[in-house]
Amino acid sequence: MRTISLYLVFFWLFLNSGRAQSFLPEEEKSIIENARKLLNTEYLQNLEILTHYEVNQPFDALRPQLQGFIKSAFRDADVQIFNEFREPLGTLTTVEEYIKDYHIFAKRKPIVNTLDWSKARFQLKQTSDKKPFLNVYILKKMQGSTGKILNQEHLVECRVQFDYNEKLKSFYGFKIAGITKVQDYPKESATDVQTVVAAKKNDLFAVLDTLTAQLKANSSTSPEELVLERFTYKKCGINDALSDQVFAALNSCIQRRMNVSVQSVAGDKNVFPIIRGWYEDAENQLVMHMELVDSRTGKVFQQLSNAELPLRWLEEQQIPLKPQNYQNVKVVQDTIRQITSVTPQSALKLEIRTDRGRTGVEYWAGQSMILEAKANRPCHVRLLYRLADGTQTLLENDFVIKPGQENQLVRIAPEASFICSAPYGTEYLLAYASEEPFCALPTVPNREGYFRQEGEYQIFVGSLSAFNTLMKCAKNSVIAEDHLQITTREGKTDK
């Protein structure tokens, strides 16, 4: 008689007197792996962004990410999930209410959510109209630094709905239909440990967890806090789907493995060590590079690499390795690098920054951007913003840093709002400072370039190099320069 493994038993269970559809062993493994991917990638990592990385943002500023989170992970916005912040314990609310409650109770302190897959159990059932779904029973842990309410562990049932095409023998449309707190594992549930463990050895989280473990093992000190910068493809600075997953997963690994608090680059990172890195492809493998850096001196304490993840994993997850328009962005980056003057002899120094820092800067549709400038002397500042479609807009023609404002961040145009809107993509902020007033900018059409008025905006017509020359025109002053790369994003969509 053929032996039936334990984990197949749950495929023969009943719901509403309807027998759950049976599947082949490989199909059963595919269902479990798709559910695991949904909960790890679309749910857990997006939750990490909203409750950790964006901890300092007001709730309204998070709406684009929240809408993307709901769209990518949940059946709809009305799905009810277990809310640890509500009494009595076990209360269900919408995802939006959950994130709101987090902001109220956490008081802008980060929390870490983890799912313990080593003890996960599963049930395959079907609705009364014969549609299959998978119940995943798993320990959800929440850890924070603001008291008992943010340090909890509960067994939850995650109901994952999906569609099945019988002719094609394929599964699709995996979405969370609810998350509830339960007291114990159902007796009829079973564990497919082999599938879960095998999958964990060959995914992005496992690679980053390995790097984090090596980082901890090789560290001579144990800092209480670290700054995590965005990892991007070949240091291009473009935030996309892959950089999102790397950031969220690494954020979780660092806190879980090293027991440290991860700080945003938007804060004062001159106090804490920095973890930075990048990834690239080599011989059909994804190569991940990580560095631990002294924020004060720039000294690299550790350099680590991992090339265990095959590129086919990205293909299976439908995640592009290279960001969209990567080659076009590289051309602009090279141009800016060539035209940016290095003037170490200049006594005037300029630094421009956003409310989201200087590295890995990202804004979503509808979010407002705050700009600040710091100079070591009183000066005049000009700002140009290059949009993703190449449009070059003059943001500030003559912003003045006054005596007494030296060596401090001064908000630029505090009465104005810079709102993220289309077009979306890779954009640039170029800043110039002079101790004397700048030359007037040309407004009459000519070959060298000029500015024309379009509504409320002054648009530069001409090449980036020509613009750079015009912007740096001052009679008797050496110009100080700075620039930032910014990613603007419309929002997340279904895969």
Side-chain angles (χ1 to χ4, degrees), residues 444-450 460-463 466 470:
V444 178
N446 64 80
R447 294 181 179 179
E448 286 72 30
Y450 66 98
F460 179 73
V461 180
S463 69
L470 291 171

Side-chain angles (χ1 to χ4, degrees), residues 165-222:
N165 187 313
E166 190 167 358
K167 291 183 178 180
L168 299 177
K169 302 296 181 182
S170 63
F171 306 94
Y172 61 96
F174 284 79
K175 297 289 182 181
I176 298 172
I179 301 176
T180 58
K181 180 181 180 297
V182 294
Q183 296 299 320
D184 204 352
Y185 297 96
K187 293 181 179 179
E188 67 271 24
S189 62
T191 306
D192 181 13
V193 177
Q194 184 178 3
T195 296
V196 174
V197 172
K200 288 180 70 175
K201 289 181 179 178
N202 296 288
D203 66 6
L204 183 62
F205 189 91
V207 166
L208 295 171
D209 193 47
T210 299
L211 281 171
T212 306
Q214 293 173 350
L215 183 70
K216 180 180 179 180
N218 297 335
S219 296
S220 57
T221 60
S222 300

Side-chain angles (χ1 to χ4, degrees), residues 129-308:
D129 56 354
K130 308 299 182 182
K131 292 185 178 180
F133 65 88
L134 181 71
N135 280 340
V136 180
Y137 297 91
I138 192 166
L139 284 173
K140 179 181 183 293
K141 302 177 183 180
M142 183 173 70
Q143 295 174 295
S145 59
T146 58
K148 183 178 179 181
I149 196 170
L150 293 184
N151 290 274
Q152 303 183 35
E153 176 180 302
H154 301 283
L155 179 65
V156 296
E157 174 194 271
C158 300
R159 177 166 295 188
V160 178
Q161 289 186 340
F162 61 92
D163 294 306
Y164 175 63
N165 187 313
E166 190 167 358
K167 291 183 178 180
L168 299 177
K169 302 296 181 182
S170 63
F171 306 94
Y172 61 96
F174 284 79
K175 297 289 182 181
I176 298 172
I179 301 176
T180 58
K181 180 181 180 297
V182 294
Q183 296 299 320
D184 204 352
Y185 297 96
K187 293 181 179 179
E188 67 271 24
S189 62
T191 306
D192 181 13
V193 177
Q194 184 178 3
T195 296
V196 174
V197 172
K200 288 180 70 175
K201 289 181 179 178
N202 296 288
D203 66 6
L204 183 62
F205 189 91
V207 166
L208 295 171
D209 193 47
T210 299
L211 281 171
T212 306
Q214 293 173 350
L215 183 70
K216 180 180 179 180
N218 297 335
S219 296
S220 57
T221 60
S222 300
E224 295 182 358
E225 296 178 282
L226 291 168
V227 171
L228 178 60
E229 292 189 355
R230 283 271 191 167
F231 288 35
T232 58
Y233 180 70
K234 291 187 175 181
K235 302 181 182 181
C236 69
I238 305 173
N239 299 343
D240 62 354
L242 182 52
S243 67
D244 286 347
Q245 291 205 20
V246 172
F247 182 86
L250 189 53
N251 201 324
S252 178
C253 289
I254 292 170
Q255 294 177 86
R256 183 170 58 86
R257 281 272 185 187
M258 303 181 70
N259 194 29
V260 299
S261 176
V262 177
Q263 299 295 320
S264 165
V265 293
D268 182 9
K269 69 177 185 180
N270 293 324
V271 179
F272 312 116
I274 300 170
I275 292 180
R276 67 188 184 194
W278 69 98
Y279 46 86
E280 57 189 337
D281 50 325
E283 298 179 354
N284 295 319
Q285 299 292 114
L286 179 68
V287 185
M288 192 72 60
H289 303 280
M290 179 190 291
E291 295 179 339
L292 180 64
V293 183
D294 187 328
S295 60
R296 296 181 179 89
T297 64
K299 178 183 177 182
V300 177
F301 293 131
Q302 286 192 54
Q303 288 182 310
L304 303 168
S305 296
N306 183 294
E308 296 179 356

